[in-house]
Amino acid sequence: MHRPVGVSRDFLDADGNNVWGDIGLDALEAAGIAWEYLEENTAELTPGQIEGRPGVIFAAPAVTKNTFAGVTEPPLVLARFGVGYDSVDLPVCTANSVAVTITPDGARRPVSTAALTMILASLHNLGAKDRLLRRGEWDRRTEWMGRGLTGTTIGLIGLGNTSTDLVELLKPFGTTVIAYDPYCPPERAEALGVRLTGIADIAAASDVVVVMAVLTDETFHLINSDFLAQMKPAARLVNVSRGPIVDEAALIDALRSGTIAGAALDVFETEPLSTDSALIGMDNVILTPHSIAWTDEMSLGNGGSAVRAVIDAIESRAPQFVVNRDVLTKSEFQARLTRQQSDVRS
C-alpha cells in the first residue's frame, strides 16, 4: 500500500506554517489523494522520504544518487516547485524510472515581471536613491539621474518560456530586443520580433543585458570579463536566473572601474551572498536575496503546476513539464504509470 504524496519540509516555517502561503495542495484532496509534509527538513531528499510514495513535491532539497540508495519502490514523479533543476541528478532519476517535473507555467509571469522590475529599478537608480534618502543626503539626488527604458536595446541571454513573456511586457516601451540562444528556432524569434545574434553582439549593442538562461556547462561564466569589457559604459546587467552564469569577480571589477554603469542581481555564485561581499557596498548595484519573483502569484502558480504533475502521474497520464524526457519511453516507467492509479486508490 502506498504512502501519501510527500511535500518537502522546507515549505514550513518554525511554527508549521507554509512560508509560500497557498500553493494549491487542496487540489490533491479534491482528487482524493492523501498528502503529508515530510518529517525532516533535509538538504537532499533521502531514501526514507521517497520510498513507497507515488510522488514528492519539493523545493530546496537536492536529488542525488544517495536519494535512491536501497529504494525498491521509488516515486513515479518528483515535482520541483520552481524552474531550476541544477541540483537534481537527472540521469539517476531516469535510471530509476522517475520523472522530474518543473513549473515553467507557474513561474512564467512572476519571473518576467521580476525581470522588468529589476530593469526599471536599475535604470532609475532606485537603490542609490533609496540609500540617499535614508542617509539624509537629499541634496545629492542630482548625482543619480536615471535613464528611461523607452527606446533602449534589451539583450536577452536565453529566449525561453519566461523570456518570451518579458518580450511581451517590454512592447509598450518601444524597446529593441535582441537575444542570444543557440537553441531557439529562428522562426520563433522572428515571430516574437526578436533578432537572434551572437554573444559578442549582445554585449556591444545592449543598454540592458538580462540573464534568463538555464545554468549548464555551456552557460557557466558566460558573462565573463571579456563580455563585460565589450558592454557600453552606460549599460546595466540584470540576472534573475542563476548566479554562476556570471563571473562575479569579473562583474565586481567592471562595476568598480566604471566599465558598466550598474547591475541588478537576484542570484549569486554562492548563496547566501556573504555579508562582506564587495557588491553590498556599491550604490550602483541592486541586490535581492534570490526572491524578487516570490509573490502570491508565484506561490499558487508553481504549487498548482507541481500538484497537477503529481495528479497526472497518479491518474496514469504523463505529466506535462518533464525535464528528463527519456524516462517517458522507458518500458518500466510506462508500466508503473499504467498501474499507478489503481495502486494509489486501492
Side-chain angles (χ1 to χ4, degrees):
M1 184 174 179
H2 279 279
R3 298 161 71 192
V5 167
V7 180
S8 60
R9 194 76 184 179
D10 59 289
F11 281 98
L12 299 181
D13 62 19
D15 296 322
N17 300 311
N18 195 309
V19 297
W20 291 89
D22 181 8
I23 62 170
L25 294 171
D26 55 347
L28 289 172
E29 297 167 10
I33 300 169
W35 66 274
E36 64 184 7
Y37 288 109
L38 302 180
E39 290 186 3
E40 293 182 85
N41 188 359
T42 54
E44 65 181 30
L45 293 179
T46 67
Q49 290 173 329
I50 71 168
E51 178 73 58
R53 298 187 187 276
V56 175
I57 297 170
F58 70 106
V63 179
T64 70
K65 64 180 181 180
N66 296 328
T67 301
F68 296 94
V71 172
T72 59
E73 192 178 355
L76 193 60
V77 60
L78 292 174
R80 179 154 198 283
F81 180 93
V83 294
Y85 50 91
D86 41 286
S87 62
V88 179
D89 191 326
L90 294 183
V92 166
C93 292
T94 300
N96 284 274
S97 297
V98 176
V100 177
T101 63
I102 56 174
T103 58
D105 52 338
R108 186 174 192 258
R109 177 52 57 92
V111 175
S112 63
T113 304
L116 179 59
T117 299
M118 293 293 249
I119 292 169
L120 290 168
S122 184
L123 288 173
H124 285 257
N125 294 317
L126 182 62
K129 291 174 180 178
D130 175 80
R131 286 187 283 274
L132 284 182
L133 180 60
R134 294 177 188 275
R135 293 193 299 249
E137 299 174 352
W138 184 282
D139 292 341
R140 291 187 56 205
R141 54 191 173 146
T142 56
E143 298 175 22
W144 290 96
M145 197 66 65
R147 179 176 184 180
L149 176 58
T150 303
T152 57
T153 296
I154 307 298
L156 302 177
I157 306 296
L159 190 56
N161 179 57
T162 307
S163 298
T164 297
D165 199 50
L166 177 60
V167 171
E168 295 301 314
L169 294 179
L170 288 168
K171 283 184 176 179
F173 296 95
T175 59
T176 297
V177 182
I178 59 178
Y180 170 72
D181 189 333
Y183 301 101
C184 178
E187 58 272 17
R188 180 171 170 272
E190 184 178 0
L192 292 168
V194 175
R195 178 172 64 87
L196 289 176
T197 188
I199 191 69
D201 191 40
I202 294 291
S206 302
D207 297 303
V208 183
V209 174
V210 187
V211 181
M212 302 185 80
V214 174
L215 176 61
T216 65
D217 290 341
E218 291 177 87
T219 61
F220 177 78
H221 280 190
L222 183 65
I223 309 301
N224 53 28
S225 57
D226 290 341
F227 182 97
L228 293 163
Q230 295 175 71
M231 289 178 67
K232 300 177 182 179
R236 321 292 174 111
L237 177 72
V238 172
N239 189 0
V240 293
S241 179
R242 286 293 185 268
I245 296 174
V246 177
D247 182 337
E248 205 164 282
L251 175 60
I252 289 170
D253 287 344
L255 291 164
R256 279 175 168 163
S257 65
T259 300
I260 64 173
L265 309 171
D266 186 50
V267 290
F268 308 93
E269 283 211 64
T270 301
E271 297 182 357
L273 182 67
S274 172
T275 55
D276 61 3
S277 169
L279 292 168
I280 291 177
M282 295 182 174
D283 280 337
N284 58 343
V285 181
I286 293 172
L287 306 171
T288 52
H290 203 154
S291 61
I292 187 63
W294 290 11
T295 60
D296 56 345
E297 182 181 28
M298 172 171 268
S299 295
L300 193 54
N302 279 352
S305 181
V307 166
R308 283 191 295 275
V310 171
I311 292 175
D312 281 344
I314 289 174
E315 296 186 345
S316 300
R317 298 185 298 269
Q320 184 175 3
F321 299 111
V322 176
V323 288
N324 55 334
R325 303 293 298 178
D326 291 350
V327 77
L328 298 178
T329 60
K330 289 193 66 174
S331 58
E332 182 182 349
F333 177 84
Q334 287 296 328
R336 293 176 63 215
L337 186 69
T338 300
R339 68 173 183 264
Q340 188 76 4
Q341 183 172 8
S342 59
D343 285 353
V344 171
R345 297 185 187 279
S346 59

